[in-house]
Amino acid sequence: MKRYRDSLITFLKKLPRAYKGRPMAFAILCGLSLLNLCSEWPHELPRPAFLDTYDRLFPDSFGTPRQLLFDHFQRWFPRTPTAQPVTIVAIDDRTLGAVGQWPWPRNRLASLIDAIAAQKPAAIGLDIYMPEVDQTSPDKVADNLPPTAASLAAGLRALPSHEAILARSLHATRAVLGAVAFDHATANTRTDLRSAPILVHGADGADPLDSVLRFNYVLASLPELQAAAQGQALLNVALEQGTVRRIPLIMGLGNKLVPGMALEMLRVATRSPVVEVFASPAGVLAVGVADVQVPTQPNGEIWLHFASIRSTQSRYVSARDVLQGKVDPDRIRNKLVLVGLTGTGLTDVRATPLGEQVPGIEIQAQVIETIFEGHFLQRPAWLKWGETIFIMTFGMLIIWYLPRTDSPLATFIRSFSKASAILGIILNLLSLLSCVLLFKYGGLLVDAASIFIIGSAVMGSFFSTALLDDDAKRRQQAARTQMPDGEQSDAGKSVDGALARWKRIHRSSK
């Protein structure tokens, strides 16, 4: 057993230097490239079963550095808004202090919608869902009165319910109600949602439902309110480690496609009858309304290029000021108006790649703004293959050229053991610079993090080999230096012995 162990240790010691380190570098290149491909499996290929095991063994192996790099791209070059098509009517702390705590009676919310509608907005989107009956409605109050107040109860029941009042307000304007989809049932979820028709183009027999985020349940407003509104939309966002980076513009609910809030508000504002989806067997290519077409990822999402919250504060108006008629009409007229909660403890705060915490309604506003500007971040399906080909080609060139003893580069590396590390840093910095420029001027999200990691690992294998070679050379030099001393010592001993023998012979002859 000891002999086999010693043989294995000897083999492992020789392996990094075998064939000038090329086999070791090639194994590192292929292994890491496969892990990188598995971490972001191309959507157009069937997902192998072994990827579930991979996700358990190597969670976020390349995904985390990739996302962090993309976040830094956005921090270096945040989007600068060039238009303001959205106004956010915020139910903020000032409003709650003046009007009352949330949730409001539905007739009070109807008054806010009426006040907004009076300024002629292009559409009104409610980042609010109302799945339960308002218990402050006159008929509900009547149900709680004692029998002695029968006449009062009858009078209350003769009044319209708060849902009926709100439904009239919704019906009188171009309103879109929000909803949230779930993959599990809760007490108030349903399995269906009233939504606009979806027209699919060019799927070639493929069903976009197989590609998009798909849910079976939805938390939506009451059917009476849904019937009164001009549109219904999902408010779901894609969260990755608590940060919003991508937004689904189209999703699946049961067996039908449902638009996100931004897309549905554009449909209602342009009075388009349908939402269009352009698909292929590889997934969704784009979604559109009227003459607007938005390129998407195969699953119907877009990468959102965020603007700093500091640059978007001017889009916010307080609901209190709207109710009191203190808002400039131009801030609402022909605008896409989003109504949502921003009061302390009420809002769903989201983290963005810029490191900011923003209200959930701000995310929807930035999606609409991005579509208006046509400034999209893109990571098309072919880009992953292009990155993989580049990594393999670049790695193979390094493996072929670097160990060559007749190249000036190899001579330089042999003379300076850290040269391969310095060279790797320079090449990776050039790669990072190229990716930054592609982001800034082309909106392309190129994975420089994986290129850096794999390139550094391949260069590092040769760096390790160079260190081993230097160590071997030092040992050989030390052996050569010690050999003459040993020989000289032996020669000295021989001379001393010869002198001693001569002296003994001389004494005996006398």
Side-chain angles (χ1 to χ4, degrees):
M1 181 63 69
K2 184 176 182 300
R3 183 180 64 182
Y4 291 121
R5 185 183 62 189
D6 293 342
S7 299
L8 178 61
I9 293 174
T10 303
F11 171 75
L12 293 176
K13 286 182 178 180
K14 292 181 178 179
L15 183 61
R17 288 180 289 173
Y19 299 98
K20 301 179 181 180
R22 284 189 173 106
M24 175 67 76
F26 181 74
I28 291 173
L29 174 64
C30 293
L32 291 181
S33 296
L34 180 60
L35 290 178
N36 180 36
L37 190 65
C38 290
S39 71
E40 193 181 22
W41 191 257
H43 198 275
E44 64 270 18
L45 296 181
R47 180 179 169 87
F50 74 85
L51 287 184
D52 295 332
T53 304
Y54 165 84
D55 290 338
R56 290 194 300 270
L57 296 177
F58 306 100
D60 296 325
S61 55
F62 282 86
T64 297
R66 181 188 304 122
Q67 300 295 0
L68 290 176
L69 180 68
F70 292 166
D71 291 353
H72 277 86
F73 285 171
Q74 297 216 40
R75 294 180 187 184
W76 296 335
F77 306 104
R79 182 175 57 84
T80 301
T82 58
Q84 189 172 307
V86 179
T87 294
I88 293 177
V89 174
I91 301 175
D92 53 11
D93 290 331
R94 290 192 302 159
T95 304
L96 297 175
V99 179
Q101 67 182 12
W102 188 264
W104 289 347
R106 302 277 160 77
N107 62 331
R108 190 171 299 167
L109 182 59
S111 298
L112 177 60
I113 293 174
D114 291 340
I116 297 171
Q119 307 302 323
K120 301 294 190 290
I124 302 174
L126 275 70
D127 189 5
I128 300 168
Y129 32 92
M130 298 162 278
E132 297 177 335
V133 174
D134 185 354
Q135 295 300 313
T136 65
S137 268
D139 57 331
K140 296 300 179 183
V141 173
D143 292 340
N144 291 320
L145 293 177
T148 55
S151 59
L152 177 59
L156 288 173
R157 290 192 178 94
L159 297 174
S161 69
H162 288 175
E163 276 76 29
I165 295 173
L166 179 57
R168 282 201 301 267
S169 297
L170 293 173
H171 185 72
T173 187
R174 292 193 287 274
V176 178
L177 292 178
V180 177
F182 291 90
D183 55 7
H184 59 275
T186 66
N188 296 316
T189 54
R190 297 179 173 87
T191 58
D192 197 12
L193 181 73
R194 293 172 62 100
S195 61
I198 305 291
L199 180 61
V200 179
H201 298 280
D204 294 331
D207 190 351
L209 274 170
D210 297 332
S211 303
V212 300
L213 296 177
R214 196 167 178 178
F215 305 92
N216 292 318
Y217 304 95
V218 64
L219 184 63
S221 297
L222 296 168
E224 180 181 1
L225 301 178
Q226 290 188 45
Q230 299 296 309
Q232 314 290 325
L234 294 179
L235 297 166
N236 295 64
V237 298
L239 283 176
E240 295 170 303
Q241 299 175 339
T243 301
V244 178
R245 299 181 178 93
R246 294 175 294 174
I247 305 294
L249 294 184
I250 199 82
M251 287 162 275
L253 179 61
N255 292 318
K256 72 176 184 179
L257 294 169
V258 179
M261 175 61 80
L263 205 60
E264 182 67 355
M265 284 195 70
L266 290 175
R267 185 194 70 81
V268 171
T270 58
R271 305 190 183 190
S272 300
V274 297
V275 171
E276 296 180 283
V277 174
F278 302 87
S280 74
V284 179
L285 301 175
V287 296
V289 171
D291 58 348
V292 177
Q293 193 173 122
V294 183
T296 68
Q297 297 299 114
N299 61 356
E301 295 177 342
I302 61 169
W303 290 83
L304 189 57
H305 194 179
F306 280 89
S308 173
I309 187 68
R310 294 185 297 273
S311 66
T312 64
Q313 285 300 305
S314 59
R315 70 161 121 252
Y316 286 81
V317 298
S318 175
R320 182 195 69 172
D321 294 339
V322 174
L323 287 168
Q324 295 176 357
K326 296 180 180 180
V327 175
D328 183 353
D330 288 338
R331 301 195 65 181
I332 294 179
R333 185 176 295 115
N334 295 325
K335 299 282 188 178
L336 295 170
V337 177
L338 288 169
V339 180
L341 302 167
T342 64
T344 304
L346 296 179
T347 183
D348 54 335
V349 176
R350 304 292 189 181
T352 73
L354 303 184
E356 299 175 333
Q357 302 289 326
V358 303
I361 198 168
E362 171 69 19
I363 303 293
Q364 302 296 334
Q366 296 224 17
V367 177
I368 297 172
E369 199 171 68
T370 298
I371 294 174
F372 262 79
E373 295 177 355
H375 189 91
F376 307 112
L377 295 182
Q378 298 186 59
R379 184 161 171 78
W382 56 263
L383 190 55
K384 186 65 179 180
W385 293 111
E387 292 167 355
T388 303
I389 293 172
F390 174 81
I391 290 171
M392 292 298 297
T393 302
F394 181 63
M396 291 300 294
L397 286 174
I398 293 174
I399 292 170
W400 170 75
Y401 184 76
L402 201 58
R404 292 182 59 186
T405 57
D406 59 342
S407 67
L409 184 59
T411 303
F412 173 65
I413 290 177
R414 284 198 304 273
S415 63
F416 183 42
S417 60
K418 295 182 180 179
S420 60
I422 295 174
L423 178 63
I425 292 173
I426 293 173
L427 292 175
N428 279 307
L429 287 177
L430 289 175
S431 172
L432 176 61
L433 177 61
S434 300
C435 295
V436 169
L437 294 176
L438 286 171
F439 174 85
K440 182 177 181 180
Y441 296 107
L444 283 176
L445 292 166
V446 183
D447 185 11
S450 297
I451 297 173
F452 179 86
I453 293 170
I454 298 174
S456 298
V458 174
M459 295 292 293
S461 69
F462 288 113
F463 174 63
S464 302
T465 301
L467 290 179
L468 291 173
D469 289 340
D470 285 348
D471 183 65
K473 289 178 181 178
R474 284 195 297 269
R475 291 177 181 273
Q476 292 174 2
Q477 185 65 33
R480 284 195 298 269
T481 303
Q482 293 173 0
M483 185 61 69
D485 295 340
E487 291 174 354
Q488 184 177 4
S489 177
D490 293 340
K493 291 178 181 179
S494 299
V495 171
D496 292 341
L499 288 173
R501 287 196 299 273
W502 181 82
K503 289 178 180 179
R504 286 196 300 272
I505 293 171
H506 181 69
R507 285 196 296 268
S508 61
S509 63
K510 290 182 177 180

